[in-house]
Structures are given as structure tokens and as C-alpha cells.
Amino acid sequence: MNVANWLHARALQTPAAPALYAGAECRADYRAFAAGAAALSAAMAADYGVRAGDRVALYMPNRIEYLYAMYAAWWVGAVVVPINHKLHVKEAAWIAADAEASLLITDAGNAFDTAMLPQGCRELGVDTAPFTTAVRNPGDFAAPLPAAPDALAWLFYTSGTTGRPKGVMLSHGNLMAMALCYPYDVDSVSASDAWLYAAPMSHGAGLYNFMFVRAGARHVVPASRGFDSAEIFGLARQLGNLCLFAAPTMIKRMVRDASRPVAGLRTIVCGGAPMYAADMVQALDVLGPVLAQIYGQGESPMTITAMRKEAVADRRQPQWEARIASVGTAQSCMEVRVVDAAFNDVPAGTCGEVVTRGPAVMSGYWRNPDATRQTLVDGWLRTGDIGFLGTDGFLTLTDRSKDVIISGGTNIYPREVEEVVASHPGVFEVAVVGAPHPEWGEEVVAFVVVRPGGQVPDGAALEAWCRAEMASFKKPRRYVFCAELPKNSYGKILKTELRELARPGGAPAV
């Protein structure tokens, strides 16, 4: 079934329900939303030749028209190719070419030289007449074109930190499985909710539209078109029942900028990277019981494990401290294992690679059979993440497999070291990487951002702190203090860059 059917059904059931908001201003009800998407799909087909199976790329910051564009593509049976708007135009053009996009939608319609685009591909500006005429003057609308569950719907390009990005192929069935897990495993959804697009709509925040469309909830794009703590707090107070997806770095900024629970803030879904236990406790103390934790990746979007708000906030649970350091349990449609190099299950509490399977897992990488074979093994997705399962089924991540530090023949998991350093009251953020060492192979290096206005630690203070909390061989051998950690547009720390800085001569030891 076509995911656009959910919008079509909602528009028929509650046509006058408020749907799309620019800041606190309602711009469209559900009838106008569905009719605008249907009218735009007709224009895509008639004026740009878009047909079922064609790829429609989106390259722009968050805006309510992003939702119109996505649903218009699905309405006609096309495939959405979301492109991170922070990528250079040449990088975006490479993705459009690799996907063989037939249409590329941008803000003004002039982001690309024609020579940069794939043959036959044209650029459509959201702020130009062909787009605005369709969505602002819609008429009656028919149902979306039927789509098989395995038909391609979302072609998401990975961040490409180890080479060219790969196109992750997600079907209509994959996206529905993801959406249907949410109310069981993450948080309830109702028509009174307001889903805020503060994180990029080209990623998880955009994918989470489905369950809120299905429930007939409100969709809110902030005026800043991005993340701003004060703006979020203001919208929460104005609109009420505000829900959003946020990476740990975003939540840390919200905690920094708030002094008490924020009225109207209902749910923050934490994802994109594991949140350190110390940060989770502080967020609960400041923001209240609004945090849910999820773990997924582009190849199984938002849908590997989860921990509901009630579990995150339940300090009476005897294993609470261990559980808030985890990423929860397998979501309803997923199986999760931890395996060794031979793909055998390892005992509870033992680290290995996390693998998962279920209806949310991709069908493969776009026109890349070699990478698909390496990543999908007998139906199981090799995540590349290292972690362990507790006897209660809670999964704790220790690191990416490529980030494990081997010093003197012993594996050291950076996440474990980061948890200890992050618990120091003077530390705002930390990232731990390995650096070449002539005797031990690798040594542990910690990059530290100190907490503004608080207790400012130095290398000696952190050395003493770590010595009191962990085995000596795990302690950082160097501390590098910096103003901020390098991150991609989704808030993930770029450890590739930090490893380069950690090499001899790359950054001063403290």
C-alpha cells in the first residue's frame, strides 16, 4: 500500500483538522494538505514527466512545502530522494546523478547549473509559480496511485564518512513498519499532538511524519527552519503537546537553555547517537519525564530498539541506572542479536556486533550489490555497531566497530570511557578516539568541551577522576580541550576528523 494513502484517508475523515504550521500559524488543514499534494503530483506528471518509480530529489532546509513535495511524489508513485541541505551543491548533484533523479526540488529553483544535473533532470523551485499555484489552488483529489509493499519509496544516502554515500533503498512496507512500531515502542500518538521539525526533514525527523499524519496531528516547522532552544520552548507553550526528534547534542543545548520543565513540551525522541547516562539524568532533572530513546540507522530507520518515556523516567526500577545507559529493547517488528565474527550469538553481557532483521530493514543499497552482500547476511542487517544484550533484553551500545581502540592487544570501547569523562561536572561534551602509539599500537585520546560557567577541569583533574572510576589501561593518555566537537548536520560527532587530529602533531596534549 502507498504510504500516501494515510494522508488521503486522514483528509477524508477529518478534513478540517489543522495540519501544517509555519511556526505557530496554521497554514493548511488536512483537506488542503492532501489536495495540495495531489495537485502538485499532477503537475509533476504533466509538466515534468514524473512517473511511478522515478526519483524526485529534495534539496532544501525544512519548510512545510517539504511535506507537500514528499507526498506529491508518493501520490504519483515516485521515489523520494532526500538530500541533506548542508551538503555542497556539487555533493548534492552527485547524489541526484547517482539516483538518476528526474526532478530536483529546491527553495528558489536555481541552486544548480543545468550541466550539473543528470540528463533529463529539471529543477523545480518551491517559491516559483509552478509549485505555489498547484498547492495553493487545489481542487478535488483522487486517491494516490497504488503501490506494492516492496515498491521503493525512500532512497536515503548515507553520510559517506568512509567514502561515497550509498543509497539505502526503503520501501513503502519498510516505512509503514517503522511507523506502526512507534505507538507501541516509543510513544503514544493522538490528534492533539504537534510534531516539530527542528532536526533535518531529510533524515529521521522527516520520516516520523507518517504516524502523526495517520493520527491527524499537527505538523510544525519552526520559523528558523532548524533548531533553536528558545524557539522550541516558545512553540511548546503556544501550541501544547509538542513532540520532536532530537540528537543528544540538541538535547544538551535544550538542557543548557532551560531551568525547569517547559510547559507544553510532551515528548523528545532521542536518537542519532546514544545519549550518555549522565546527560540523560541531567535532562530528566531539567526537562522532566519527556525523553524516549530510540536506536536505528538509515538501513533500518529509527527502528531497531527503543525505550518508552515511562521506562526512561522510572527511577524506582532496580536496574534503572543500567537501562538509561542502554538503547532499550527490540522494537515490535524487529529481532536483535549480538554475534561474534563467525555470526554466532555471544552470551549475555558479552560485546559483539549488533545484527537485526525485520520488515523495517532495507532491501539493499541502490545499484551496489557488493555492499548489499556485505551488509545483509541471510536477512540479517550487520549494523557495524558493537554492544551487548542484558539478560532482560536491553541493548547497550559500546561503539562502532571501526571505533574500537586496541591498545596492547586489549579492546577498549570509547563509549565506556566517554561515560566516565562525561560524568565529571565540568565536562559538557567528550569524544574518545584511538591514536597511533609506537609501543601499544594505539593510545586513548579524549577530546573535551568544558561546561560554560561551571567547574573548569584540566588534564590532571580528569586524570584523577578517571583513575577513581575505571581500570588504568582504559584511561585517556591525552586530553585535548576544544571549543566544540566536529559534527555532521545530524549532530553526530565526526570521529574520523578527531582521529586525524589525534595523530602525532595533530593536536596538542594537555
Side-chain angles (χ1 to χ4, degrees), residues 411-438:
N411 285 1
I412 299 173
Y413 298 103
R415 173 71 190 274
E416 184 180 5
V417 182
E418 289 164 350
E419 287 274 12
V420 171
V421 178
S423 66
H424 188 285
V427 172
F428 179 68
E429 276 189 312
V430 60
V432 168
V433 299
H437 189 277

Side-chain angles (χ1 to χ4, degrees), residues 60-195:
M60 56 188 165
N62 294 359
R63 56 188 302 166
I64 58 174
E65 289 85 359
Y66 209 107
L67 291 164
Y68 279 119
M70 288 197 300
Y71 276 91
W74 291 322
W75 216 277
V76 76
V79 180
V80 171
V81 184
I83 302 177
N84 178 358
H85 78 93
K86 292 187 178 180
L87 291 180
H88 190 279
V89 66
K90 291 182 179 179
E91 296 172 306
W94 183 90
I95 290 174
D98 188 71
E100 296 182 353
S102 57
L103 181 64
L104 205 155
I105 300 178
T106 62
D107 272 343
N110 58 3
F112 299 87
D113 292 333
T114 304
M116 299 175 68
L117 299 179
Q119 185 176 4
C121 181
R122 296 163 64 190
E123 184 178 353
L124 170 62
V126 167
D127 295 325
T128 63
F131 192 103
T132 57
T133 299
V135 300
R136 292 177 185 173
N137 302 286
D140 294 332
F141 55 96
L145 193 72
D150 60 353
L152 186 59
W154 183 262
L155 184 56
F156 171 75
Y157 278 77
T158 60
S159 56
T161 56
T162 57
R164 283 290 195 183
K166 298 187 291 290
V168 175
M169 297 189 294
L170 297 172
S171 68
H172 289 266
N174 291 148
L175 300 181
M176 288 184 173
M178 174 206 70
L180 293 174
C181 278
Y182 185 94
Y184 290 100
D185 304 310
V186 183
D187 191 32
S188 59
V189 187
S190 76
S192 64
D193 290 335
W195 180 251

Side-chain angles (χ1 to χ4, degrees), residues 255-321:
V255 170
R256 180 195 64 193
D257 297 337
S259 57
R260 64 181 68 87
V262 178
L265 183 61
R266 195 174 84 78
T267 302
I268 303 174
V269 181
C270 177
M275 194 164 180
Y276 299 124
D279 292 335
M280 185 74 80
V281 172
Q282 187 179 29
L284 289 169
D285 290 342
V286 174
L287 299 175
V290 298
L291 295 173
Q293 173 77 56
I294 64 103
Y295 161 53
Q297 54 184 213
E299 291 82 351
S300 184
M302 323 295 279
T303 320
I304 298 178
T305 64
M307 185 162 41
R308 294 180 65 91
K309 291 188 303 184
E310 298 84 354
V312 172
D314 186 8
R315 303 189 193 212
R316 299 168 300 175
Q317 216 287 331
Q319 296 175 282
W320 179 74
E321 290 186 356

Side-chain angles (χ1 to χ4, degrees), residues 185-224:
D185 304 310
V186 183
D187 191 32
S188 59
V189 187
S190 76
S192 64
D193 290 335
W195 180 251
L196 179 71
Y197 299 92
M201 296 175 76
S202 57
H203 203 59
L207 280 177
Y208 265 179
N209 86 84
F210 298 112
M211 51 285 276
F212 292 90
V213 164
R214 184 64 178 164
R218 296 164 290 168
H219 302 259
V220 184
V221 177
S224 66

Side-chain angles (χ1 to χ4, degrees), residues 166-495:
K166 298 187 291 290
V168 175
M169 297 189 294
L170 297 172
S171 68
H172 289 266
N174 291 148
L175 300 181
M176 288 184 173
M178 174 206 70
L180 293 174
C181 278
Y182 185 94
Y184 290 100
D185 304 310
V186 183
D187 191 32
S188 59
V189 187
S190 76
S192 64
D193 290 335
W195 180 251
L196 179 71
Y197 299 92
M201 296 175 76
S202 57
H203 203 59
L207 280 177
Y208 265 179
N209 86 84
F210 298 112
M211 51 285 276
F212 292 90
V213 164
R214 184 64 178 164
R218 296 164 290 168
H219 302 259
V220 184
V221 177
S224 66
R225 303 177 71 178
F227 174 82
D228 179 87
S229 294
E231 185 178 29
I232 291 171
F233 299 156
L235 288 170
R237 288 188 286 266
Q238 287 178 277
L239 299 174
N241 281 357
L242 197 73
C243 309
L244 67 148
F245 171 83
T249 52
M250 298 165 65
I251 297 172
K252 286 172 70 68
R253 291 174 190 169
M254 293 175 71
V255 170
R256 180 195 64 193
D257 297 337
S259 57
R260 64 181 68 87
V262 178
L265 183 61
R266 195 174 84 78
T267 302
I268 303 174
V269 181
C270 177
M275 194 164 180
Y276 299 124
D279 292 335
M280 185 74 80
V281 172
Q282 187 179 29
L284 289 169
D285 290 342
V286 174
L287 299 175
V290 298
L291 295 173
Q293 173 77 56
I294 64 103
Y295 161 53
Q297 54 184 213
E299 291 82 351
S300 184
M302 323 295 279
T303 320
I304 298 178
T305 64
M307 185 162 41
R308 294 180 65 91
K309 291 188 303 184
E310 298 84 354
V312 172
D314 186 8
R315 303 189 193 212
R316 299 168 300 175
Q317 216 287 331
Q319 296 175 282
W320 179 74
E321 290 186 356
R323 288 183 175 181
I324 61 166
S326 78
V327 288
T329 59
Q331 294 198 33
S332 297
C333 69
M334 303 300 293
E335 298 175 77
V336 173
R337 297 165 57 202
V338 175
V339 300
D340 60 20
F343 228 71
N344 298 313
D345 291 342
V346 300
T350 302
C351 285
E353 183 179 4
V354 179
V355 298
T356 186
R357 72 177 177 185
V361 172
M362 68 170 185
S363 58
Y365 293 113
W366 175 255
R367 296 177 180 172
N368 195 336
D370 291 340
T372 299
R373 281 192 294 271
Q374 293 170 13
T375 305
L376 294 178
V377 179
D378 295 330
W380 291 91
L381 171 68
R382 300 189 61 174
T383 66
D385 290 323
I386 302 298
F388 62 88
L389 282 168
T391 55
D392 54 3
F394 280 75
L395 175 68
T396 300
L397 298 179
T398 54
D399 275 292
R400 292 289 294 172
S401 57
K402 67 178 183 296
D403 291 336
V404 173
I405 301 166
I406 304 176
S407 183
T410 301
N411 285 1
I412 299 173
Y413 298 103
R415 173 71 190 274
E416 184 180 5
V417 182
E418 289 164 350
E419 287 274 12
V420 171
V421 178
S423 66
H424 188 285
V427 172
F428 179 68
E429 276 189 312
V430 60
V432 168
V433 299
H437 189 277
E439 181 178 357
W440 301 105
E442 287 185 292
E443 66 176 354
V444 180
V445 180
F447 288 81
V448 178
V449 179
V450 299
R451 190 176 300 281
Q455 176 187 356
V456 180
D458 56 17
L462 291 179
E463 170 72 12
W465 182 269
C466 291
R467 187 185 302 115
E469 299 291 333
M470 63 169 51
S472 179
F473 75 90
K474 299 178 183 178
K475 295 196 300 10
R477 295 299 183 258
R478 282 192 283 148
Y479 296 91
V480 180
F481 292 89
C482 47
E484 59 183 2
L485 300 177
K487 301 182 181 76
N488 67 14
S489 62
Y490 305 129
K492 290 186 179 180
I493 295 170
L494 298 173
K495 289 197 170 183

